[in-house]
Amino acid sequence: MGSIDEEVSLLEVEESLVQEELKLYAEDGSIDIRGNPPLKQKTGNWKACPFIFANECCERLAYYGIAKNLITYFTNELHETNVAAARHVMTWQGTCYITPLAGALIADSYWGRYWTIVCFSAIYFIGLVVLTLSASVPGLKPEECIGSLCPPATTVQSTFLFSGLYLIALGTGGIKPCVSSFGADQFDKTDPNERVRKASFFNWFYFTTNIGSFVSSTFLFWVQENCGWELGFLIPTVFMGLATISFFFGTPLYRFQKPRGSPITRVCQVLVAAYRKPNLKVSEENNTLLFETCDMMNSSNDGNCKIEHTDEEAIAEPFIDPWKLCTVTQVEEVKILLRLFPIWASGIIFSVLHSQIYTLFVQQGRSMKRNIGSFEIPPATLGMFDTASVLVFVPIYDRLIVPFVRRFTGLAKGFTELQRMGIGLFVSVLSLTSAAIVETVRLQLARDLDLVGSGDTVPLTIFWQIPQYFLMGTAGVFFFVGRIEFFYEQSPDSMRSLCSAWVLLTSTLGNYSSSMIITLVAYLSGKDSWIPSDNINKGHLDYFFWLLVCLGCVNIPVFIFFSVKYTHKKV
């Protein structure tokens, strides 16, 4: 008996030691740079994040340093018309939000997020070098104007310039959909403590994004306007080089997720297999048994449980054609994407409201008093308050609001991701409400002072716009960060980069939708347009802002409806 008890005791001790050893390693399927299970004390977590944050901050500084003032470069240096310049900039920016789909597919299917970021960062850097050369080498840029005669860019000059710009657009395609997901991969989802830190990671990731945006919107724009475009483009190039080096130096500390094959192919296989068997039914009893069995099988993460309802021909085949018979995991992935779609679509309306920062908010500010002594404030500069609100509010949210709300909700992250997104939608409506009220007051002053016909600026200080910018920045802290975290957590593991790219499409669709709404409003409002092309004192920009308020108010209950219906299920 004693010997048996001793053997049992030894087995318990050995099992305990094995469990303790397992806790030393991440258990989410990640690996380290050598392909081994990563030690928690030496990899991932916050120790890996500074390199990722530095990469994101420098890359965003480079991107916004080019994007936000590019139209000025086209008109002043390339001597293009406002229409042609706007068309080139919009096309390029649209491309920057479409290429992430390609980068995400490569990351999820073949290279993984790490190598996709590294390779596309190199492409990004080359594009910036080409762009800098196009602004620096005399033969690669148009000659300066002689009086009113401004020679246009030659074919060679335009080709060189656009080669640089579209290499940058391609580079963004591999970074934007991967870097936030790669950062979140550094936290073990099976560890409760690391899950809490992951929620905080998304807050600080968005914070570093806006640091880059803030620096580019202030210091870098001043350099471009006052010190020349050669230096104005060289600085983003240097920072992109630093971004790439910073990311590469963190390699020994990273945790890596292996690519799991083409997500698009798997989705198409499910749709084709479903199309081939539209009338095939399965009993509820068998369906329940199937999923219980699959849950046990999938605990090993092989994902090879097959759908039971099939035809005899497929069962008889030694090789199962995935275009006829799919795994339960594949079917569940498609169902998750369908459930995510209404939540995704709500972001389009938010982007419509958010896009006013760079368009009509600027036009509104241009017709207000902008002087401080002899200094005239550029109306676009007030966009810095959008960024400043993020830099102020993220630490407040992470350190004060989350601990306070946690007492009532019992959630480690305070709010759920969907609750956070809903708050962001509400605050964005408050921003447009503030803009509408300011515009109503501005137009009334224009009428009282008889400034409608002349189109002169109204003696209402531009600083009245600060609340609408600040509220929109606060809305971004809730909505954008909540959305990044939500789609990372809820998207299938094998599709995280693709879903991140899918989310970025809402920005493109939001800008396109905003343009379409403006065009439609201008057409329907006829001669006395709400948004005149030259003198907005003659129009009713306040009506347009109130229209957007109504659109946002419709979006909120629709979002709430689908949020309540949404079921959190991962595969």
Side-chain angles (χ1 to χ4, degrees), residues 389-560:
S389 68
V390 175
L391 301 181
V392 170
F393 197 72
V394 164
I396 293 174
Y397 180 86
D398 195 69
R399 300 303 181 189
L400 297 178
I401 295 178
V402 169
F404 177 75
V405 175
R406 187 185 295 153
R407 300 176 182 176
F408 302 96
T409 63
L411 298 173
K413 62 182 71 175
F415 298 106
T416 67
E417 296 94 342
L418 290 174
Q419 288 171 343
R420 188 168 180 174
M421 291 169 68
I423 294 171
L425 292 176
F426 175 73
V427 177
S428 70
V429 171
L430 293 182
S431 172
L432 266 295
T433 301
S434 174
I437 292 172
V438 169
E439 183 62 14
T440 301
V441 174
R442 194 193 69 79
L443 287 175
Q444 186 60 50
L445 275 174
R447 287 190 288 269
D448 292 344
L449 300 173
D450 197 22
L451 300 175
V452 174
S454 63
D456 292 339
T457 58
V458 174
L460 181 68
T461 178
I462 194 173
F463 292 120
W464 281 106
Q465 284 192 306
I466 290 177
Q468 65 203 55
Y469 279 101
F470 199 88
L471 285 169
M472 191 60 78
T474 304
V477 172
F478 281 98
F479 186 83
F480 285 136
V481 180
R483 185 177 64 175
I484 292 172
E485 184 177 358
F486 175 76
F487 276 84
Y488 178 86
E489 294 290 346
Q490 296 302 312
S491 60
D493 292 343
S494 58
M495 297 185 181
R496 279 178 172 159
S497 298
L498 182 64
C499 286
S500 295
W502 188 37
V503 166
L504 291 172
L505 274 181
T506 59
S507 296
T508 299
L509 295 176
N511 281 285
Y512 290 164
S513 298
S514 179
S515 178
M516 182 182 68
I517 292 170
I518 290 173
T519 303
L520 186 62
V521 165
Y523 174 77
L524 294 178
S525 57
K527 181 180 178 181
D528 299 323
S529 175
W530 288 2
I531 312 172
S533 58
D534 52 355
N535 178 10
I536 67 170
N537 289 349
K538 292 182 178 179
H540 271 289
L541 191 57
D542 55 339
Y543 290 176
F544 182 76
F545 285 152
W546 286 119
L547 175 65
L548 295 183
V549 169
C550 294
L551 189 64
C553 288
V554 171
N555 189 41
I556 290 173
V558 173
F559 174 82
I560 293 174

